[in-house]
Amino acid sequence: MRDVIIRCEKWLQNEVKSAGASGIILGLSGGIDSSVLAALGREALGHDGVLGVIMPCHSIKNDEDDAVLLAETLNVKHMRVDLSDTFDALCSSIGSEISTLSLSNIKARLRMVTLYAIGQSKNLLVCGTSNRSEYETGYFTKYGDSGSDLMPLVSFLKREIRAMAKILGVPEKIIAKAPSAGLTEGQTDEGDMGFSYDVLDEYLATGKIDDFSAKEKIDAMHRRSEHKRRAVPIFRP
């Protein structure tokens, strides 16, 4: 795994150099994916080459605390932008009834707008934090957390992200916490999906799965989310 980490870090270095950028910028959520990406960036590009942005939006305070813990533990530059008032103003301006899922997606898209605003101003490439497990099932927001210049983690399953986290020195508190979008207390990725990451990862890695119900759910999620992974269709007369 260390060899793969080194190759990923060299890839980051090459991408930044070829773009003429000064480094990368990413959202720090307090979760394991953004923590691993921040750690990779810190090793590849140094302290001045990575900026983590903590963007609470009516968020759970513990997640923000974990994001700060990660940044301080690994000496990653970070800043805080509270998007709660911006979110409220936008929802108020829209006026009409907005679904719960749409509200969640608005938060993800506001965060990406924020990263691009800061990143462009500082000549930094925006990095997405989605892993392969999320990418294959569509468990990400189109033009939200997937809207980025680089996606360094999309080749890695969740279990591989955990292994990388241990090697890169991510605090055990972050590694051990249940993956969550941090929308409400008690909300977890696995609860939303209806199956565990262990089941999902094994199926993606080997094609084997004992739980037929989980297989149906995973296959359906992959089919429904195909539009998220392909280029925008263009009509050509």
Side-chain angles (χ1 to χ4, degrees):
M1 180 58 74
R2 185 70 217 186
D3 289 345
V4 175
I5 289 174
I6 292 172
R7 291 203 300 273
C8 185
E9 290 171 354
K10 289 182 178 179
W11 177 82
L12 272 174
Q13 292 169 349
N14 290 335
E15 289 295 322
V16 169
K17 182 178 180 181
S18 64
S22 301
I24 62 171
I25 184 171
L26 68 146
L28 281 182
S29 68
I32 191 170
D33 299 308
S34 65
S35 297
V36 165
L37 181 52
L40 284 170
R42 176 69 176 81
E43 285 201 356
L45 305 167
H47 175 72
D48 292 330
V50 183
L51 176 59
V53 186
I54 302 169
M55 296 172 282
C57 187
H58 298 301
S59 305
I60 297 170
K61 181 63 166 60
N62 286 345
D63 290 339
E64 183 176 341
D65 293 341
D66 289 342
V68 173
L69 171 66
L70 180 281
E72 293 180 346
T73 299
L74 299 185
N75 191 26
V76 173
K77 287 197 304 183
H78 61 286
M79 61 184 291
R80 181 179 187 272
V81 180
D82 193 327
L83 297 174
S84 300
D85 290 345
T86 305
F87 173 81
D88 291 343
L90 177 58
C91 291
S92 177
S93 296
I94 293 173
S96 59
E97 184 176 341
I98 306 173
S99 69
T100 300
L101 180 58
S102 183
L103 287 171
S104 300
N105 287 334
I106 287 173
K107 292 181 179 182
R109 289 169 180 142
L110 282 176
R111 288 176 174 134
M112 201 51 65
V113 167
T114 303
L115 291 179
Y116 268 101
I118 299 170
Q120 185 173 12
S121 301
K122 296 180 178 292
N123 193 33
L124 303 173
L125 295 179
V126 175
C127 280
T129 61
S130 295
N131 57 58
R132 182 184 170 192
S133 306
E134 296 167 340
Y135 189 72
E136 294 291 348
T137 55
Y139 197 71
F140 60 89
T141 298
K142 192 174 185 179
Y143 304 123
D145 45 338
S146 69
S148 57
D149 299 313
L150 304 174
M151 298 185 76
L153 304 183
V154 162
S155 295
F156 301 109
L157 297 168
K158 195 71 169 185
R159 65 190 184 189
E160 294 171 320
I161 296 292
R162 293 193 192 101
M164 294 168 72
K166 293 178 181 179
I167 294 171
L168 290 165
V170 172
E172 181 60 33
K173 178 185 179 185
I174 294 175
I175 297 174
K177 70 192 288 190
S180 169
L183 302 175
T184 58
E185 289 286 353
Q187 180 268 337
T188 66
D189 293 355
E190 293 176 328
D192 287 348
M193 293 187 294
F195 45 81
S196 70
Y197 272 112
D198 289 340
V199 168
L200 173 59
D201 286 357
E202 185 65 18
Y203 183 42
L204 292 176
T206 68
K208 299 176 181 178
I209 188 168
D210 295 327
D211 188 337
F212 182 72
S213 175
K215 179 183 184 303
E216 285 190 316
K217 290 178 182 176
I218 294 168
D219 289 345
M221 290 175 73
H222 181 79
R223 287 193 303 271
R224 288 195 302 267
S225 61
E226 180 58 35
H227 68 97
K228 294 184 175 184
R229 290 181 294 272
R230 71 180 184 219
V232 177
I234 298 174
F235 169 70
R236 300 188 185 280

